[in-house]
Amino acid sequence: MRVPWTYENPSCAGVGSDFFYPEMDDVDMVHTKATISICNACPHLAECAEWGIQRERYGIWGGISASKRKRIRQLRGITLPREEHIA
C-alpha cells in the first residue's frame, strides 16, 4: 500500500495538512463537509481511505473521519498499535 503523500496529483496537495487535522474546538459540520468534498473529488479516495483505516487515529483520510474509521476498524477486527505517549 502506497503512502498517501506519494500519490500523483492528489486533490489535497495544495490545501495543507492543517485542513485535515482541525483542532477539536474548531471542528464543525461546514468544515468537515468541505474537507470531505476535497477527498471525494480525488482519484485516490479509496486507497487513501484504506490507509487511514489501517494506520491513522486522527484527521480525515479518504473522506472518512476518525470516529467513522474507528467504527470500521471495530467491524473489521482491526487493532492499531498502542500510542506512544511522550512525557
Side-chain angles (χ1 to χ4, degrees), residues 2-67:
R2 295 183 304 159
V3 294
W5 48 90
T6 66
Y7 300 159
E8 184 176 331
N9 299 319
S11 295
C12 61
V15 178
S17 63
D18 289 348
F19 199 72
F20 296 88
Y21 291 95
E23 294 293 326
M24 291 308 291
D25 294 342
D26 295 339
V27 176
D28 60 37
M29 287 306 290
V30 172
H31 179 265
T32 300
K33 285 181 179 183
T35 304
I36 291 171
S37 71
I38 291 169
C39 295
N40 287 338
C42 186
H44 309 289
L45 177 70
E47 194 174 6
C48 187
E50 190 60 35
W51 173 274
I53 291 165
Q54 297 289 333
R55 293 177 173 81
E56 302 292 341
R57 279 189 173 78
Y58 307 106
I60 295 175
W61 290 85
I64 304 175
S65 68
S67 60

Side-chain angles (χ1 to χ4, degrees), residues 55 57-58 79-85:
R55 293 177 173 81
R57 279 189 173 78
Y58 307 106
T79 304
L80 296 180
R82 279 182 57 121
E83 284 188 90
E84 298 285 330
H85 294 283

